[in-house]
Amino acid sequence: MTLLVATGVQAEVFHSKESALRLAFPDADTVTPRNFFISDAQKAEAEALGGAALESRMVTCYVGARAGQILGYAFIDTHLVRTLPETLMVVLAPDGRVRATHLLAFHEPPEYQPPRRWLRQFAERRLGPSVRLGADIVAIAGSSMTSEAVTAGIRRVLALYEVLLRPSGGARAGGVRPGA
């Protein structure tokens, strides 16, 4: 048996789930996890809308609220960049716009890490054709795999919002209205 050890790779965790949720909702008096077990139809719809595969049919969304009013939603998305994972937290406003994107952990070499300034270009975006590399999203020079992985993760979260949470005269198939 041969053991291979990677050298020179520095995995870095920037936030625990608890500190990330405080970052997402600093004014919240409650942050409540909502678990969804999505159907095959919801999975297919989210993948089609987002253009990104869902790894699991179990989805957790954290709902931040103050005095009973929803402040927003946070999704934690872990995915591979090249061969190692990164974890993002995408915070959405109640209407589904990206409020913030935070890097929680990055296990690829540090030179491929997405800068905060680059992540800010997703702020105020909604799911649509312009939220793509080469459209309104500029890639990170020298780090195309990170750019692709982050963009796919954000599109995946925006698609999950559309399928599970978007108010449209009622809940979508199996989803819930905000505040329900």
Side-chain angles (χ1 to χ4, degrees):
M1 181 164 128
T2 304
L3 178 65
L4 299 175
V5 178
T7 59
V9 176
Q10 298 177 9
E12 196 159 353
V13 175
F14 304 105
H15 295 280
S16 67
K17 180 174 67 174
E18 292 75 21
S19 74
L21 292 172
R22 281 192 304 274
L23 183 66
F25 305 114
D27 299 327
D29 52 28
T30 63
V31 177
T32 308
R34 286 194 122 150
N35 295 311
F36 297 92
F37 186 72
I38 62 175
S39 68
D40 290 337
Q42 289 171 313
K43 182 177 187 290
E45 182 181 6
E47 288 177 339
L49 285 171
L54 294 177
E55 298 295 318
S56 173
R57 290 182 42 205
M58 176 59 91
V59 175
T60 301
C61 168
Y62 298 90
V63 182
R66 180 168 184 81
Q69 293 293 326
I70 292 178
L71 300 173
Y73 306 98
F75 291 82
I76 296 175
D77 187 84
T78 299
H79 50 264
L80 291 180
V81 175
R82 290 182 319 154
T83 59
L84 298 171
E86 87 177 327
T87 300
L88 300 172
M89 179 178 60
V90 182
V91 183
L92 304 178
D95 67 359
R97 287 176 292 113
V98 174
R99 185 172 281 157
T101 304
H102 301 285
L103 184 63
L104 304 185
F106 193 77
H107 297 274
E108 292 285 353
E111 61 267 22
Y112 299 123
Q113 182 178 314
R116 282 189 198 136
R117 189 178 93 218
W118 184 81
L119 291 171
R120 283 195 296 264
Q121 72 180 315
F122 292 97
E124 300 302 316
R125 306 258 184 208
R126 295 178 190 272
L127 185 62
S130 66
V131 181
R132 292 200 184 282
L133 291 175
D136 284 354
I137 306 302
V138 177
I140 303 168
S143 194
S144 60
M145 290 181 160
T146 300
S147 301
E148 290 168 7
V150 169
T151 303
I154 291 171
R155 288 187 60 80
R156 187 172 24 256
V157 165
L158 289 169
L160 285 168
Y161 169 85
E162 292 294 322
V163 172
L164 300 173
L165 299 167
R166 183 170 188 234
S168 56
R172 292 176 66 124
V176 295
R177 287 186 309 276

